[in-house]
Amino acid sequence: MARVLDRSKFLANLRATLDVRRAWHAQSPYARAILTLVYLGFVTGTYAVAAILIWGPGLLHATDYVPWGIGISTYIFFVLTSTGLCFVSSLGHVFGIGGYEAIGKRAVFLAIITMMAGFAALAPDLGRPERMVFYLLTPHFSSLLWWMGFLYFIYFVFMVAEFLSLHKSRMDWARAMGVGGLLSAIGAHSTLGGVFGVVMARPFYFGAFMPLYFLLTAFLSGIAAISLASITTSWGRSRQFTPEVVDISCRLRKLLVAVLGITLLFTFWKVLVGLYAEPYRETFGDVIRGPLWQLEVILGLGLPLILALVAASRRIRVVPAMLAASSLVLLGLFIGRLDMVLAGQALPLKALIAPELSSYIPSAAEIMVVVGALSLCGLLYAIGGTFLRLEAVPLAHSSSTKDT
Amino acid sequence: MPRGLSRRDFIKAGAGGLALASLGLGGFIASAKETSPDKAEARIRNRPGEADADWAFVVDVDKCIGCGRCVLACKLENRVPLDPLLNRTWVERYVVTRDREVHIDSPGAGVNGFPRLPGATLGEPQILKAFFVPKLCNQCENPPCVSVCPVNATYKTRDGIILIDQGRCIGCRYCIIACPYGARYFLPDAPVTPSGHARVVDKCTWCYHRITKGLNPACVEACPVGARLFGNLRDDQGVVAGLLKEKAVNVLKPALGTKPRVYYLGLGHWVQ
């Protein structure tokens, strides 16, 4: 009997919590306009995914010379951002580094939704997504793609458990799940790098570089994503940069400078080694002459580094500088993932059957899927931000209850 | 209380049902495989025989005239769509100019032969050497495409041929990325496909349904100049075994360690 009562109470609570109408009216006109756009983007993406599944992969511009296109690169972008967010979230409640607890819950939530957006972008790129049941029925343990899927599943479970623990302020559980999430993130995402690293046929992919590079740039995108989300949310709420946001921006700025520096060093050596070795010189030369690579390095690495460094000299401007830098980093990495995926396929492995096959330009449906994945992220973030108290700092709450 | 218990039971029953349903789904998919047109290939996995074969393919580059009959024969035999972009085998034209530049093309996979080269850029006096290289799946001893498949859809038979279970392929295209020879292609929705499945990966099988019955692959039969030869290396008296014994042969991209089993006669260092 008590159980029934509990349930009705729970449902009433849930209804009150998920009062969409009130939440909608509580938003400013700007926020409503953005939400409408995000919703339209989501509808567009859903339509594109359905169209590809119904009318077939003819809507994709992938060819047998460039079998992997923007769908794969968008997937990589999102899941690596998810890893990075997992790293950032673990700074506070796993490693116990002071000052990072404030972004822990938001980062874990963002890690979950970027992961979902990543898989949403990947699904239409598979010829037969409905056959994913064979992942379980006939697994192939020598395939890194299989291990990637398996580890992602574990990672996803840990992240959801970590979020629930944070939501319920169960810090012991959150720490345990955080450790599991962190380890499975390192496993899953370096395996994604390994998926490319083991391909001997394509010199740009081959080698131990990719798994390490993926983890490093994942951290970079995680720092950028949490900065962007924290700053824009704070501004949206109160039309000003709260002291908390200034504080966290200062901390994240230092991290960003360090990781950007290391990424530039990685990029330098990748290119230098590529240009040095005669058989790869042509491929690497084409890559660095390409607009995508230049945008990635100048817009996504160089400019943000300068912004983040300059911001140190005048403390007051740290927040806008971080807003710009993190936006540029995310844009640069999005372009960079596409460039990375395409660079490995730039050198055709056989003679061209038709000249137009040598280059890849995303199709309308593919771009709509990308818009949809981004919008899905935005939509879920709006829902989470409204209903799930992402700004909560469970550690402080937990320790205070422990003290009493 | 009983309510809670019954809910637990309900969940248990649901989980059991789900497990049964997934088993049933697997069975359904497995049975669907049996009804596919290319039954011979679909059942190969459990087939005990043919392990005494050691198939080899020889391509004589000096003989090939680039007529493209092999490409057409392959399409007709294997129900490969007639779309010029979709091919299990194709012919490449190599033109080496006097400045040591190598120009490679394969218009429409060479199915209709090769049009004259644009004379303005490549006049005959500048051409050092020109020749045709037919290509097909190398049925590697160490196939990079097999190890990357996440669902075991592509596999090596006992007699060393790499096949695809197209009823299981999820269409991720990782094998296309991994194959160093560009031998694999993605089958879009088409009215006719080799196995009846679409949106999956396809490739040359050396006409496995023919060779296991003692016949030659279709492309070998169609070649008017004998540039394509096929045989079992266990047969010491065979033409192919004799050629491999007596002549110098090359394989494509030997440095990758894939150990291809398509051997080329007269393959110059220009060819990649």
Side-chain angles (χ1 to χ4, degrees):
Chain A
M1 203 55 195
R3 185 181 282 267
V4 177
L5 267 180
D6 273 350
R7 192 195 298 166
S8 64
K9 206 166 149 190
F10 171 74
L11 285 176
N13 261 336
L14 194 69
R15 260 197 295 277
T17 317
L18 297 179
D19 193 340
V20 176
R21 197 182 305 167
R22 204 178 58 192
W24 173 257
H25 287 298
Q27 301 290 346
S28 69
Y30 294 114
R32 274 186 235 170
I34 292 169
L35 271 173
T36 310
L37 278 179
V38 164
Y39 184 69
L40 288 177
F42 175 68
V43 171
T44 308
T46 311
Y47 171 73
V49 171
I52 293 166
L53 293 182
I54 294 165
W55 292 305
L59 290 170
L60 310 175
H61 275 182
T63 66
D64 297 320
Y65 295 86
V66 187
W68 282 356
I70 200 169
I72 301 284
S73 76
T74 306
Y75 159 74
I76 294 171
F77 171 76
F78 276 117
V79 293
L80 287 186
T81 306
S82 176
T83 319
L85 286 160
C86 168
F87 290 170
V88 174
S89 75
S90 60
L91 289 177
H93 60 265
V94 174
F95 293 110
I97 302 172
Y100 287 104
E101 299 88 351
I103 51 170
K105 191 177 176 188
R106 190 183 304 278
V108 173
F109 182 75
L110 280 168
I112 293 169
I113 64 172
T114 45
M115 179 86 185
M116 290 162 79
F119 276 90
L122 179 69
D125 238 51
L126 293 176
R128 307 295 292 255
E130 80 280 8
R131 288 186 182 165
M132 289 303 281
V133 64
F134 287 117
Y135 247 82
L136 300 174
L137 294 180
T138 58
H140 195 200
F141 300 119
S142 76
S143 169
L144 286 185
L145 206 58
W146 188 85
W147 281 105
M148 185 200 77
F150 174 73
L151 290 166
Y152 272 142
F153 175 72
I154 293 178
Y155 167 70
F156 192 73
V157 171
F158 270 123
M159 292 314 278
V160 171
E162 187 181 355
F163 182 77
L164 292 176
S165 313
L166 287 172
H167 195 62
K168 296 281 176 198
S169 294
R170 293 287 303 273
M171 285 320 291
D172 41 351
W173 274 97
R175 192 166 293 125
M177 295 301 117
V179 171
L182 184 65
L183 292 178
S184 54
I186 293 170
H189 299 272
S190 58
T191 306
L192 176 58
V195 163
F196 291 92
V198 297
V199 179
M200 260 194 100
R202 301 176 189 265
F204 193 85
Y205 294 157
F206 184 69
F209 180 84
M210 280 296 172
L212 302 173
Y213 178 75
F214 269 32
L215 286 181
L216 178 70
T217 51
F219 196 26
L220 186 58
S221 54
I223 297 166
I226 193 66
S227 307
L228 186 65
S230 305
I231 295 169
T232 49
T233 308
S234 160
W235 177 256
R237 288 266 162 79
S238 54
R239 289 289 174 278
Q240 60 177 344
F241 299 128
T242 57
E244 292 83 23
V245 163
V246 175
D247 176 65
I248 199 67
S249 296
C250 291
R251 288 172 198 281
L252 288 169
R253 188 196 66 82
K254 286 181 195 153
L255 267 183
L256 189 71
V257 168
V259 180
L260 274 173
I262 303 172
T263 308
L264 278 168
L265 191 72
F266 265 57
T267 309
F268 171 78
W269 280 110
K270 169 91 177 164
V271 168
L272 192 92
V273 171
L275 290 176
Y276 209 87
E278 193 55 55
Y280 312 143
R281 184 175 293 169
E282 198 185 330
T283 316
F284 278 76
D286 285 347
V287 169
I288 61 170
R289 273 191 297 273
L292 291 182
W293 191 84
Q294 289 168 5
L295 277 175
E296 176 197 355
V297 172
I298 297 167
L299 214 66
L301 299 175
L303 200 55
L305 183 63
I306 294 168
L307 273 170
L309 283 172
V310 169
S313 55
R314 291 169 65 182
R315 202 175 161 78
I316 190 74
R317 300 180 65 184
V318 157
V319 178
M322 277 300 284
L323 181 65
S326 53
S327 309
L328 284 173
V329 164
L330 286 177
L331 181 68
L333 282 175
F334 183 83
I335 296 168
R337 303 300 183 208
L338 179 62
D339 190 43
M340 189 279 299
V341 168
L342 295 182
Q345 306 169 69
L347 198 68
L349 299 175
K350 58 179 170 183
L352 289 173
I353 288 168
E356 70 269 18
L357 293 174
S358 59
S359 64
Y360 165 84
I361 294 161
S363 71
E366 283 173 305
I367 291 168
M368 282 159 75
V369 170
V370 172
V371 170
L374 284 166
S375 306
L376 176 66
C377 232
L379 203 61
L380 291 174
Y381 185 61
I383 293 171
T386 312
F387 301 117
L388 294 174
R389 294 182 282 116
L390 297 182
E391 65 287 346
V393 186
L395 193 61
H397 172 75
S398 171
S399 57
S400 67
T401 49
K402 212 180 276 175
D403 290 342
T404 49
Chain B
M1 254 344 235
R3 207 178 250 267
L5 270 176
S6 73
R7 183 163 50 195
R8 187 172 297 168
D9 286 345
F10 174 72
I11 291 167
K12 265 189 199 166
L18 200 66
L20 275 177
S22 56
L23 274 178
L25 189 64
F28 169 73
I29 293 161
S31 66
K33 189 177 73 181
E34 286 298 305
T35 58
S36 70
D38 233 339
K39 281 183 187 171
E41 279 173 29
R43 285 211 208 99
I44 281 320
R45 193 184 296 266
N46 300 317
R47 196 173 156 143
E50 320 300 353
D52 57 336
D54 185 4
W55 309 114
F57 205 108
V58 171
V59 175
D60 192 338
V61 173
D62 290 335
K63 280 187 183 163
C64 180
I65 55 171
C67 67
R69 295 270 287 274
C70 49
V71 181
L72 185 62
C74 172
K75 282 181 185 271
L76 297 176
E77 173 66 29
N78 294 303
R79 282 167 285 177
V80 174
L82 289 174
D83 183 332
L85 302 185
L86 310 175
N87 301 285
R88 285 184 170 194
T89 183
W90 67 101
V91 181
E92 297 182 354
R93 172 169 60 184
Y94 277 71
V95 176
V96 186
T97 49
R98 293 198 180 278
D99 54 0
R100 303 285 192 287
E101 283 285 312
V102 184
H103 304 263
I104 315 166
D105 68 347
S106 178
V111 68
N112 295 319
F114 289 77
R116 271 190 78 84
L117 282 170
T121 51
L122 285 174
E124 267 181 32
Q126 294 157 335
I127 294 174
L128 182 71
K129 193 177 167 65
F131 53 93
F132 299 103
V133 182
K135 287 192 175 175
L136 65 164
C137 174
N138 283 289
Q139 316 292 358
C140 305
E141 267 181 66
N142 302 323
C145 53
V146 170
S147 50
V148 300
C149 177
V151 295
N152 259 318
T154 190
Y155 57 96
K156 193 164 144 187
T157 61
R158 285 189 183 193
D159 43 348
I161 306 294
I162 318 300
L163 299 179
I164 303 170
D165 183 345
Q166 292 185 329
R168 191 186 295 178
C169 174
I170 58 170
C172 71
R173 307 185 189 86
Y174 191 17
C175 53
I176 305 183
I177 291 279
C179 172
Y181 304 103
R184 290 172 168 254
Y185 71 99
F186 188 70
L187 263 176
D189 289 328
V192 183
T193 61
S195 65
H197 290 281
R199 305 184 189 183
V200 293
V201 173
D202 188 48
K203 75 179 242 321
C204 162
T205 64
W206 286 4
C207 285
Y208 198 67
H209 57 291
R210 289 173 61 88
I211 62 174
T212 47
K213 293 186 187 81
L215 299 167
N216 272 330
C219 56
V220 174
E221 291 290 343
C223 181
V225 292
R228 289 175 178 245
L229 299 161
F230 177 80
N232 185 349
L233 293 185
R234 298 276 162 89
D235 173 13
D236 278 342
Q237 307 304 314
V239 179
V240 165
L243 275 173
L244 290 193
K245 229 180 275 177
E246 288 161 18
K247 302 273 185 181
V249 290
N250 269 319
V251 294
L252 295 171
K253 301 181 185 177
L256 293 180
T258 52
K259 296 192 179 170
R261 295 197 298 155
V262 174
Y263 302 95
Y264 285 86
L265 286 168
L267 190 77
H269 68 278
W270 317 103
V271 179
Q272 297 147 15

